[in-house]
Amino acid sequence: LSRNRPTSSTDLGDGDLSIRLDVAIRSQSSRIHAAIRSSIVDGVLRPGLKLPSSRGLAAQLGMRRNAVVTAYEQLLSDGLIMARHGAGTFVAAQLPVPPKRLRPAFDCEPKPRRAFELGHTVVDGTLLKRLGTALARHVINASPEHLGYGDPRGSHRLRCQIAEYLAQRRGVRTDPACIVIINGTQHGLRLCIDALLARGDVVWMEDPGYYAARTTFLSADLKVVPVPVDEHGMNVPHGKLRATGARAAYVTPSHQFPTGVTMSIERRVALIHWARESNAWVFEDDYDSEFCYTGGPLTALAGLLHDRVVYLGTFTKTLFASLRLAYLVLPPQIVESVVNARAAHDRFPALFMQKALADLMADGKLGNHVRRVRRRYCEARDTVAAALTNASDGILDARVPSYGLHLAAYLPMDASRHAAGEIRAAAGVETRLISENRIARAGPDGFIIGFSGHPLHELKAAAMRLGQSAADYFRRG
Ligand SMILES: Cc1ncc(COP(=O)(O)O)c(C=O)c1O
């Protein structure tokens, strides 16, 4: 509204009438229209109030009468004013009550990054330049069919590249026809929910688990049943006892979020059996297995059982979060319903960035980048783990993960419920607590430490502060 831009205030001396003209609006009629409209919508001009005649208002504003007439006509079409023959022009009697708050209740401004925050990565300028050049090339050379509506699954070439990568690195054999490009993991989950589940259905969720996935399930009116995670991953027998009739299970088997454990083969087999027997779906979120520091990554669940597993992969970790490119790998029998859900949702994904990304994959640049940053992340992981252990005199149990971009550092089992929060506050570091990712609220607490995308010296300093603060806390008793 004009109130957000520079305004010149003009209070009209006509009873209660007061409007503010926005000098940034060039046309006189639009300026008058916008000023009266905001005053009516904001409740400054009350329903039933008589407006000045067009001649009178033009004289007061020093503007053309025609401009006022045009503005009044526009306000009449908007339904904001009404004309009564012979009596004049009035603010409409029936108007919605203005909303109290126009600003969103949450703060969506990006904040400067701080050590330990999750969701950051390293992308060097050369790779960004390549991506930008490829993007520009595709836009500049776009043929007419690339400017219209497209396949709800996304770029065929990118899906072929992903299928090749999955077969080579994750043991997942799929046809590119079964891959759907999405705008991030939560978007993919939402599409699967729309296609496969109904309101009130029960979903198993790892506890502690990925808060964002839980938000997606809850926002779709699903019932989330927490299933505890131990050193073997999700405790499937426990899930069967609590809710054997669940329709789906969400898991991060390669590198559990946030504990970092890898799901054992026994648990994988148990999960697969349960899914088969109950005709349930497994949502396998394989968000960071490209970063495997020892040996090769375990075969994905979708590589073991591909008729009940929906696999979710993302480029958020291999490249960067604001790219918003991820993918679903679907069992063939549900492709049609998920594609229909996608078409109903937002039709299809934006094309050109997908094409540029397919280029980076095809010429091996993405693979080279991952190998390069993996070495840096590995060094960061070890530096942070050592600093946490040393500075805390061994009080913090920093578990060095074989995968991924974060680690979990635990407090002793007998620490009080408030210990982690108090240690974090005293250290002044940005870290999520394990308890903040719990649903059932029982179990050991500690810190989730993101070690990617931050300068090494900042990571080390933050780890020293957190370790020191933990040591002080326990020394004080
Ligand atoms: C468990 C988990 N899944 C998925 C993602 C990636 O989400 P997205 O693809 O929406 O960026 C993350 C990112 O931090 C994550 O922690």
Side-chain angles (χ1 to χ4, degrees), residues 260-307:
V261 299
T262 300
M263 195 182 218
S264 67
I265 189 68
E266 290 77 17
R267 291 281 173 80
R268 286 169 191 244
V269 170
L271 185 63
I272 285 170
H273 278 152
W274 165 77
R276 276 235 165 98
E277 281 160 15
S278 345
N279 270 341
W281 300 103
V282 175
F283 300 138
E284 177 181 21
D285 182 357
D286 199 32
Y287 61 107
D288 63 2
S289 61
E290 294 85 356
F291 297 99
C292 178
Y293 304 109
T294 38
L298 279 185
T299 297
L301 269 181
L304 303 176
L305 168 80
H306 91 316
D307 63 336

Side-chain angles (χ1 to χ4, degrees), residues 116 376-390 400 407 451 455-461 463-464:
F116 293 175
R376 284 181 69 166
Y377 295 161
C378 190
E379 186 189 358
R381 174 197 71 167
D382 294 342
T383 304
V384 167
L388 286 169
T389 309
N390 294 339
V400 179
L407 63 81
F451 53 76
L456 204 56
H457 69 275
E458 284 181 21
L459 284 170
K460 194 168 174 186
M464 303 284 284

Side-chain angles (χ1 to χ4, degrees), residues 118-119 183-186 210-211 250 252 257 285 287 313-317 321 324-326:
L118 303 169
N183 308 321
T185 305
Q186 287 169 271
Y210 183 39
Y211 48 93
Y250 165 85
T252 47
F257 186 91
D285 182 357
Y287 61 107
T314 180
F315 291 98
T316 285
K317 305 289 183 189
R324 301 326 291 145
L325 280 175

Side-chain angles (χ1 to χ4, degrees), residues 341-358:
R342 212 268 150 81
H345 216 260
D346 65 342
R347 282 186 101 136
F348 74 107
L351 183 64
F352 293 112
M353 190 56 106
Q354 293 182 67
K355 285 176 158 287
L357 179 54

Side-chain angles (χ1 to χ4, degrees), residues 401-413:
S402 320
Y403 285 97
L405 310 182
H406 74 271
L407 63 81
Y410 286 90
L411 288 175
M413 285 294 281

